[in-house]
Amino acid sequence: NGAGLDLSSERVHAFIRLLKERKIVVDPTLATFEGLFCGRTGRMDPAFAAVADRLPPQVRRGFLTGGLPVPAGKDQQYCDGHRAMIRMVGELYKAGVTIVPGTDTLPGFGLHRELELYVQAGIPAPEVLYIATLGSARVMKRDAELGSIAPGKLADMALVSGDPTKQISDIRRVTTVIKDGVVYQAGALNRAIGVRPQAAGAAGAGSGDDALLTPEERRHLRNIRQLTPGGENAEAYFSADDRKLIFQAHEGEGKCDQIYIMDLNGDVG
């Protein structure tokens, strides 16, 4: 129960001291856990709410599937658990534990959210930028060629319209990327993969969940509800007369999936 973890306890402090003494590098992946702990079926994954309306429909729909299955009455506890993770990262930073910003989620946009969450953890924005650049290069022992702008280093960099040292969300406003001596314009790259242009002045969190849906998605998802009774559900099909749902699921201690037939009112046969 991460939500109930006392970060001021001696047990937690001892654990943090051990990480520091052993020179452990921590990769928190807060953005991934935000979706797992706080994402709910039919609602936009909070880690991507700021950019979901710019992404292709097939990608955006994937952020509506929800995170971990939440037992009844535990919704707030799961979200509080993620907030505890954010606070824990702040404690690690204050203790001098090395942090690197991995994501385990959508490249680029996932990193932006990861860094925003570090600021929420209490890490100053300039320090967050250091963690994401020179700090990470030093961990990988590549700081002689990467991680900062200096004579003799590789000119791999991203240019943004804004000042992320003051407003970390300005890292979302990338205009130009230089990699291996090639200059890329962010707008052209976005168009090539179906990402819409960013609205003028937009950087941080977007509008509400409903505003992030297309009219067709809003119509189809308005009354979404779970029909299957639990377990690890796989694919399902409608019967030929459209009156029943036929699905396979793996429940309990069984070693393989079973086939079930369900009336559309939720009665399983």
Side-chain angles (χ1 to χ4, degrees):
N1 179 8
L5 184 64
D6 182 3
L7 298 184
S8 64
S9 68
E10 174 55 29
R11 186 178 183 184
V12 170
H13 287 173
F15 173 67
I16 294 175
R17 286 196 300 270
L18 181 63
L19 293 176
K20 174 70 172 175
E21 292 167 2
R22 298 291 179 87
K23 295 181 171 56
I24 301 298
V25 177
V26 176
D27 177 1
T29 63
L30 288 178
T32 296
F33 284 106
E34 184 175 30
L36 288 173
F37 281 47
C38 304
R40 300 294 179 263
T41 303
R43 297 190 340 218
M44 186 55 61
D45 184 328
F48 296 99
V51 296
D53 56 341
R54 298 175 54 207
L55 301 177
Q58 64 271 30
V59 177
R60 188 167 59 246
R61 282 194 294 270
F63 295 135
L64 294 166
T65 57
L68 296 171
V70 179
K74 300 290 186 179
D75 187 271
Q76 188 61 51
Q77 182 174 321
Y78 271 58
C79 288
D80 288 346
H82 184 256
R83 294 187 186 97
M85 291 182 66
I86 295 174
R87 294 195 300 273
M88 183 65 169
V89 169
E91 293 299 318
L92 295 175
Y93 168 77
K94 287 188 290 185
V97 175
T98 301
I99 298 169
V100 293
T103 61
D104 283 340
T105 187
L106 188 67
F109 297 117
L111 177 62
H112 298 159
R113 183 57 180 162
E114 185 78 8
L115 301 187
E116 289 172 343
L117 291 171
Y118 291 176
V119 171
Q120 287 188 26
I123 305 175
E127 284 296 303
V128 170
L129 294 175
Y130 167 81
I131 289 171
T133 54
L134 186 56
S136 294
R138 285 174 172 166
V139 168
M140 299 304 296
K141 302 187 185 307
R142 297 197 62 190
D143 51 299
E145 55 184 351
L146 293 171
S148 61
I149 300 174
K153 286 194 172 186
L154 298 178
D156 289 353
M157 66 185 75
L159 306 182
V160 302
S161 177
D163 186 354
T165 66
K166 297 179 180 177
Q167 176 65 40
I168 192 64
S169 292
D170 280 350
I171 57 172
R172 297 181 179 275
R173 302 172 63 183
V174 178
T175 61
T176 306
V177 175
I178 304 174
K179 173 66 176 173
D180 293 335
V182 180
V183 178
Y184 301 92
Q185 298 306 318
L189 292 177
N190 286 334
R191 286 192 296 273
I193 60 175
V195 175
R196 298 175 188 171
Q198 189 170 25
S207 53
D209 296 335
D210 193 59
L212 299 176
L213 304 178
T214 66
E216 183 179 5
E217 289 171 334
R218 193 176 297 114
R219 177 167 60 86
H220 286 294
L221 294 171
R222 182 179 296 116
N223 297 315
I224 191 170
R225 65 188 181 93
Q226 180 176 332
L227 289 174
T228 51
E232 298 178 5
N233 298 311
E235 66 267 19
Y237 310 91
F238 284 105
S239 61
D241 59 7
D242 289 333
R243 295 182 178 180
K244 296 182 182 293
L245 194 66
I246 303 167
F247 68 97
Q248 65 184 60
H250 186 177
E251 298 191 35
E253 300 298 324
K255 295 183 179 180
C256 60
D257 290 348
Q258 301 292 319
I259 303 298
Y260 297 87
I261 300 176
M262 170 188 290
D263 293 330
L264 294 187
N265 64 5
D267 294 335
V268 179

